[in-house]
């Protein structure tokens, strides 16, 4: 017997608006303010790690991570490892990038790494399918949407807030499921 209840997931998906969603104005979204504040524990989206490694994360993100508990998802670990696999072994910067990712993953405290359960994975697949249909996502965007949905629902299930720079996709998720929590920042490009 599986931990996933197909019929319950279908009933749960009644939030489907059956229309394309529009990206809301930044003023309507939960962005980091100029000063880091204590608050709910965080679940980090993969972009937080990448922005940190590439020096694109604003100082406020580092300040926030200093005062709030940071949690990690195996989804982010999976995406980071995918990055390692995609990097060209012959490129002169690949070794340094792989070392940085290795260090980052090894420094994640085991008690702060969460694995999504079967219910979360099943509902996230359903949610990402709805999102892909509504927004017309194609190939690569579909896998990204699935990972975002797993992270979003995983955070909701364990009572965390997703920290992300992925404003568009997580705005859509918040519109579909307003009970979820995300906190946005803009990376320094």
């Amino acid at each position: 017997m599986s931990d996933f209840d197909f019929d319950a997931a279908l009933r749960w998906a009644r939030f489907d608006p059956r229309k394309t969603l529009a990206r809301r104005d930044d003023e309507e979204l939960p962005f980091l303010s100029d000063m880091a504040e204590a608050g709910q524990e965080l679940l980090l989206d993969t972009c937080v790690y990448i922005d940190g490694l590439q020096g694109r994360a604003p100082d406020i993100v580092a300040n926030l991570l200093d005062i709030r508990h940071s949690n990690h998802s195996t989804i982010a670990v999976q995406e980071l490892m995918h990055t390692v696999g995609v990097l060209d072994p012959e490129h002169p910067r690949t070794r340094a990038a792989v070392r940085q990712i290795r260090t980052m993953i090894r420094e994640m405290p085991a008690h702060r790494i969460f694995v999504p359960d079967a219910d979360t994975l099943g509902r996230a697949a359903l949610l990402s399918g709805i999102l892909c249909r509504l927004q017309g996502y194609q190939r690569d965007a579909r896998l990204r949407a699935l990972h975002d949905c797993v992270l979003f629902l995983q955070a909701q299930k364990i009572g965390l807030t997703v920290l992300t720079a992925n404003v568009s996709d997580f705005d859509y998720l918040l519109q579909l499921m307003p009970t979820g929590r995300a906190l946005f920042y803009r990376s320094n490009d």
Side-chain angles (χ1 to χ4, degrees):
M1 181 72 124
S2 169
D3 288 339
F4 179 67
D5 185 336
F6 184 89
D7 294 327
L10 288 180
R11 287 189 301 276
W12 169 82
R14 289 182 291 213
F15 55 80
D16 183 352
R18 294 182 166 81
K19 63 178 180 163
T20 302
L21 301 170
R23 166 76 166 78
R24 296 178 289 182
D25 291 333
D26 284 358
E27 296 76 36
E28 299 177 59
L29 299 174
F31 271 88
L32 284 174
S33 63
D34 293 337
M35 189 170 154
E37 299 172 356
Q40 193 163 28
E41 290 186 26
L42 303 169
L43 187 63
L44 306 183
D45 190 1
T46 308
C47 61
V48 177
Y49 305 101
I50 301 296
D51 287 345
L53 287 174
Q54 295 179 345
R56 294 188 322 221
D59 292 341
I60 190 68
V61 170
N63 296 341
L64 185 70
L65 297 177
D66 283 342
I67 62 173
R68 290 202 197 179
H69 287 291
S70 298
N71 297 282
H72 316 277
S73 173
T74 54
I75 295 300
V77 172
Q78 184 181 35
E79 289 181 323
L80 289 167
M81 292 306 296
H82 176 79
T83 299
V84 170
V86 167
L87 291 172
D88 177 1
E90 302 302 319
H91 192 278
R93 289 198 237 164
T94 294
R95 274 200 170 135
V98 170
R99 267 194 312 274
Q100 289 178 311
I101 292 171
R102 175 190 295 117
T103 300
M104 184 179 295
I105 291 172
R106 284 182 173 171
E107 289 178 353
M108 293 176 181
H111 70 284
R112 295 225 172 261
I113 300 173
F114 293 93
V115 179
D117 62 17
D119 183 62
T120 299
L121 292 171
R123 288 175 191 248
L126 180 59
L127 178 60
S128 71
I130 292 169
L131 185 62
C132 289
R133 175 175 40 82
L134 293 175
Q135 301 308 111
Y137 288 171
Q138 298 300 313
R139 296 191 171 132
D140 290 344
R142 289 179 180 176
L143 182 58
R144 188 186 76 236
L146 177 59
H147 287 163
D148 290 343
C149 289
V150 172
L151 194 68
F152 184 75
L153 292 179
Q154 183 181 26
Q156 185 179 33
K157 188 167 198 165
I158 57 181
L160 304 175
T161 298
V162 177
L163 178 62
T164 185
N166 182 353
V167 179
S168 292
D169 292 329
F170 280 88
D171 175 23
Y172 299 146
L173 292 173
L174 286 171
Q175 288 180 56
L176 291 171
M177 304 200 64
T179 57
R181 289 178 297 275
L183 188 56
F184 299 110
Y185 70 92
R186 294 261 185 234
S187 21
N188 301 325
D189 293 325

